[in-house]
């Protein structure tokens, strides 16, 4: 019969521990929270951290526990009548002298005793350590004063600091005991210009004090005070390349050989002071627990004289994984595994296993490593525990490595990991146990070089997986390896193809998104879901980079079942923003859309952009639409938004309204029309909305910021002005309605409501006025004109809204703030019934925020082919994408409020198509193609008050308008024709490009044209 052997022999690692007083596990009484252990492990000190113990900024009730005798004494108490009885313990020497902070009734501030560093002997006698030459006038609060933080093993050196302004200023110091038993204060040296510092540890012999120093630039570094000098442990000593300027001191060994330092970002390092060696303490390897929860905290580090570091990683803010890192072996073990070896047979009163949601946090270790101490993590009733281990040496099998997990089916996960190929003297590898959420679910024979296991019936959510190796010794006994690090899988109960994410839940969990990162890159990114990052002040996600090293991370979808789909479409809105540093160029930072059809094992790039091209404006949203059909239709797949780059930039990408779906759900946009610039530099395109109307306004972006204007209850008109260039493509069509929005504050005083009328002006003359009847507040509505107006492109047109008869504190007129506002066209207003006009932008130039005057009125003319507007009940799109020759050419999202687009880099004979996107992410069929032919044919060229027309029948070129003469110049610079009157013949000219030179009052203007025959 096989038997389980817990004292394991193998060939990889050797851990040792010295004997203090035999193995064992002890729980102290409730509310006894441990804070420190003496170097020898003889004494543990701590506090009662309940509210009844709190006074000012210290706990007044403290205890000492004698490990040898097993006795606990509460030595101080919170006595309001006699504060000198109280004190917060911070450290203990090997001879039982305790250091900490008490209250000094001999030095009061506003009738309250200040804090004072103190020591207590075994008999409970308190001695204040004194203030030396400290300037007591700097004490400005009762919580100011001195504190003692650590004491040497011989009890003769105490490290601490003086605090002023409630801890805002800290001055590090030390007290040494003289031959007569009195204590002498010494100030610890500081680098020039340093703001302050704090001591946190002292070696057993008192020769080295450790803590941190904050420099003048607010950077923070661990500090070692030795031989009258202050030595900083900076990023240089730790071998870091990112220039970290915030490094926390975490722990120092009793012999002063080892220091634990923690830069920002969840990383920690063990620094060997003697030889400069640096080891990375595994933290991010334990990003997920075996139960699938994510890291949420790290407990206090403690290190023994051999470099063994104890610490605990917290998960979900509720349970812990106690760990021990060995410097000698550069390896980490779970404390429960370590205990089963060096304290075999000990049954702790609490679980130390993360699989059982251990409440145990470590905080200390004795100098020889034979005692590990910690607390039960309970904010209301913390409880100190003490683990003692026996001296011994054991060799431990390799921890399984390379574990990866992917969801390969509904409720199915496939695991792969590296097989242990070590040749052992007296036992062999048999198999591996597979665990899901801490429970064994499978055993796999070790028969392949690359191990693999398929696990079915996996629960939905974020299950965690790990594996352990099973070995057999020659005598038939079984040896188990430590369990591998855990990996987490997002297991969605829904694999349906339709996926829409607007982040309204505030969480990635609802739709089972996963943030992935490359194991070989630093974790130098973060993400936030907030209403500051979505469109229109709704929730969106911001994915941030942290400069310093190359980055690679991705927002990854759940599996999507497209096995029965013939088409798959993806769309999303994206916008970038720079962090801290303006003017950064993001052309080396990349966003890729990638797909995987094997559960996420391998990824294929579908489309990529550099961020500078993808999102040319840090303010405006880009809408991306992609056809994924060829890559994933008929398959189960995942898709991810993958950000990567060299780590030289500090920026974020915002995403919103991510949609992955199948077929279009709406009819295609219709009625595409265009107007080409005569010189070929641009093409204007417009299309009809669901009411078969073209939209005439000056809004050219998806509205983000909206403002309102009123006139204290008096009449005011807001209006857009349109000139010939704006109206040319609508010439001869009909203005049949006006759409707008009226703002109304329900909470304001008064009961009038708001009256509003549509007003239309031609060449400055009011030609239409019609009151809006029964309109809704705070949402768009349309007034259908009783008398449509024929558009005459030769006449200036103004379309506006007049508000009147409203309460003074209402602000009814709405406008959109836009970078593309047009002073004198998009921001006109009148307070005298349209007799004179002013500019909103001019008004705000004198205000605190001039940018609030970048006004584009939320007033839209409805232009139809026929003199009748029939309003549609169909839902309006949110935005559009314009395609040219099959490729997306609208770099920014085209707002549904504009329904038009200007191609500023057109090409000859291009064909355009438009697709509409709706608020829930669904999309329309693609419009019919509109092809424009040659860009620069002179047919109907209108610019600068001059019209150019050509008659194909007669070959006559007519140039009409206010000018003196016109001539055509060939590409060789030779004049080939001059006008006679306002025309000249082009019959003898070849088709091609010419320069048209027009002269007026001695001035010349030149335009490039193309003659097509």
């Amino acid at each position: 019969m096989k038997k389980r052997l817990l004292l394991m022999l193998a060939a990889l690692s050797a851990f040792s521990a010295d004997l203090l007083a035999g193995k064992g596990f002890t729980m102290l009484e409730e509310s006894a929270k441990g804070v420190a252990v003496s170097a020898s492990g003889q004494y543990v000190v701590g506090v009662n951290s309940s509210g009844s113990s709190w006074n000012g900024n210290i706990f007044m009730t403290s205890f000492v526990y004698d490990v040898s005798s097993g006795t606990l004494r509460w030595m101080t108490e919170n006595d309001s009548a006699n504060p000198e009885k109280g004190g917060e313990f911070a450290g203990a020497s090997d001879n039982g002298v305790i250091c900490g902070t008490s209250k000094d009734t001999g030095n009061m501030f506003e009738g309250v005793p200040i804090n004072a560093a103190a020591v207590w002997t075994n008999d409970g006698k308190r001695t204040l350590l004194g203030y030396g030459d400290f300037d007591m006038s700097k004490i400005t609060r009762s919580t100011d004063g001195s504190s003692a933080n650590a004491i040497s093993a011989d009890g003769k050196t105490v490290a601490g600091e003086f605090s002023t302004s409630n801890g805002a200023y800290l001055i590090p110091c030390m007290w040494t005991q003289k031959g007569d038993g009195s204590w002498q204060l010494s100030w610890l040296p500081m680098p020039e210009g340093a703001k302050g510092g704090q001591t946190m540890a002292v070696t057993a012999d008192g020769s080295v004090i450790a803590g941190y120093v904050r420099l003048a630039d607010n950077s923070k570094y661990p500090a070692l005070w030795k031989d009258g000098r202050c030595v900083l442990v900076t990023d240089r000593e730790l071998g870091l390349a990112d220039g970290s300027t915030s490094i926390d001191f975490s722990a120092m060994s009793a012999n002063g050989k080892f220091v634990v330092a923690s830069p920002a970002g969840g990383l920690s390092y063990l620094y060997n002071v003697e030889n400069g060696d640096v080891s990375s303490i595994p933290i991010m390897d334990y990003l997920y627990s075996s139960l699938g929860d994510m890291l949420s905290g790290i407990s206090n580090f403690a290190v023994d004289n051999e470099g063994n570091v104890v610490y605990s990683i917290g998960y979900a803010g509720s349970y812990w994984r106690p760990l021990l890192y060995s410097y000698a072996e550069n390896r980490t073990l779970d404390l429960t595994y370590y205990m089963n070896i060096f304290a075999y047979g000990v049954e702790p009163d609490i679980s130390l296993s993360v699989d059982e949601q251990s409440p145990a946090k470590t905080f200390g270790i004795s100098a020889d490593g034979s005692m590990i101490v910690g607390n039960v993590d309970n904010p209301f009733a913390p409880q100190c525990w003490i683990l003692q281990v026996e001296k011994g040496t054991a060799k431990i099998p390799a921890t399984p490595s390379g574990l990866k997990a992917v969801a390969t089916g509904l409720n199915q996960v496939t695991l792969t990991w590296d097989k242990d190929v070590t040749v052992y003297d007296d036992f062999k590898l048999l198999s591996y146990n597979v665990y899901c959420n801490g429970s064994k679910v499978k055993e796999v024979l070790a028969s392949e070089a690359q191990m693999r296991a398929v696990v079915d019936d996996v629960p939905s959510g974020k299950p965690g997986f790990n594996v352990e190796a099973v070995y057999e010794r020659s005598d038939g006994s079984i040896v188990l390896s430590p369990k591998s690090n855990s990996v987490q899988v997002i297991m969605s109960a829904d694999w349906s193809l339709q996926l829409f994410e607007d982040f309204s839940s505030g969480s990635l969990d609802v739709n089972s998104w996963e943030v992935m990162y490359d194991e070989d890159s630093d974790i130098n990114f973060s993400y936030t879901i907030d209403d500051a990052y979505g469109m229109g002040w709704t929730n969106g996600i911001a994915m941030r980079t942290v400069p310093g090293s190359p980055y690679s991370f991705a927002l990854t979808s759940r599996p999507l079942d497209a096995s029965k789909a013939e088409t798959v479409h993806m769309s999303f809105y994206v916008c970038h923003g720079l962090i801290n540093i303006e003017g950064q160029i993001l052309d080396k930072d990349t966003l890729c859309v990638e797909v995987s059809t094997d559960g996420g094992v391998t990824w294929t790039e579908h489309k990529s952009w550099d961020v500078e091209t993808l999102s040319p404006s840090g303010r405006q949203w880009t809408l991306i639409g992609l056809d994924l059909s060829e890559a994933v239709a008929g398959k189960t797949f995942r898709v991810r938004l993958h950000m990567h780059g060299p780590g030289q930039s500090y920026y974020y990408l915002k995403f919103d309204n991510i949609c992955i779906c199948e077929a279009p759900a709406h009819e295609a946009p219709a009625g595409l029309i265009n107007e080409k610039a005569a010189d070929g530099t641009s093409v204007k395109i417009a299309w009809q909305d669901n009411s078969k109307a073209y939209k005439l306004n000056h809004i050219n972006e998806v509205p983000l910021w909206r403002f309102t204007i009123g006139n204290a209850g008096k009449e005011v008109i807001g209006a857009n002005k349109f000139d010939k260039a704006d109206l040319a493509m609508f010439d001869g069509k009909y203005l049949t309605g006006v759409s707008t929005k009226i703002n109304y504050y329900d909470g304001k005083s008064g009961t009038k409501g708001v009256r509003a009328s549509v007003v239309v002006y031609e060449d400055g003359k009011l030609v239409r006025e019609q009151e809006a009847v029964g309109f809704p507040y705070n949402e768009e509505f349309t007034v259908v004109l009783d008398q449509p107006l024929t558009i005459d492109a030769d006449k200036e047109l103004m379309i506006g809204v007049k508000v009147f008869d409203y309460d003074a504190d209402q602000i009814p007129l709405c406008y959109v703030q836009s970078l593309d506002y047009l002073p004198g066209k998009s921001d006109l207003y009148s307070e005298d019934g349209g007799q004179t006009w002013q500019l909103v932008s001019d008004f705000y130039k004198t205000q605190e925020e001039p940018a609030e005057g970048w006004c584009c009125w939320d007033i839209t003319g409805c232009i139809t082919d026929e003199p009748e507007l029939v309003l549609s009940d169909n839902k309006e799109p949110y935005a559009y994408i314009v395609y040219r020759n099959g490729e997306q050419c609208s770099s920014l999202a085209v707002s549904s409020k504009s329904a038009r687009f200007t191609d500023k880099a057109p090409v000859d004979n291009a064909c355009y198509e438009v697709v509409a996107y709706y608020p829930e992410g669904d999309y329309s069929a693609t419009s019919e193609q509109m092809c424009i032919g040659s860009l620069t044919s002179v047919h109907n060229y209108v610019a600068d008050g001059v019209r150019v027309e050509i008659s194909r029948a007669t070959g006559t070129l007519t140039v009409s308008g206010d000018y003196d003469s016109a001539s055509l110049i060939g590409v060789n610079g030779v004049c080939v024709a001059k006008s006679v009157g306002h025309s000249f013949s082009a019959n003898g000219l070849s088709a091609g490009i010419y320069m048209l030179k027009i002269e007026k009052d001695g001035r010349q203007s030149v335009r490039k044209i193309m003659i097509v025959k």
Side-chain angles (χ1 to χ4, degrees), residues 163-196:
S163 166
T164 61
S165 299
N166 200 29
Y169 302 97
L170 301 174
I171 309 169
C173 65
M174 61 182 290
W175 292 268
T176 52
Q177 191 175 37
K178 297 189 292 186
D180 61 1
S182 62
W183 293 87
Q184 179 175 335
L185 171 68
S186 301
W187 301 109
L188 295 176
M190 300 274 280
E192 185 177 354
K195 288 184 174 181

Side-chain angles (χ1 to χ4, degrees), residues 13-16 258-260 268-272 277-283 285-286 301-313 321-335 338 362 365 369 372:
S13 301
F15 287 79
S16 64
F258 297 100
V259 169
V260 178
S268 291
Y269 298 90
L270 182 65
Y271 177 55
N272 188 321
D277 184 43
V278 178
S279 302
S280 175
I281 300 174
I283 294 176
D285 290 348
Y286 302 94
F301 292 87
V303 57
D304 70 12
N305 285 344
E306 295 180 356
N308 296 314
V309 181
V310 291
Y311 61 106
S312 300
I313 293 178
R321 183 175 190 173
L323 297 163
L324 185 142
Y325 168 77
S326 168
Y327 170 71
E329 302 298 334
N330 191 28
R331 185 177 183 188
T332 300
L333 292 179
D334 280 285
L335 193 57
Y338 184 80
T362 55
I365 187 170
I372 298 169

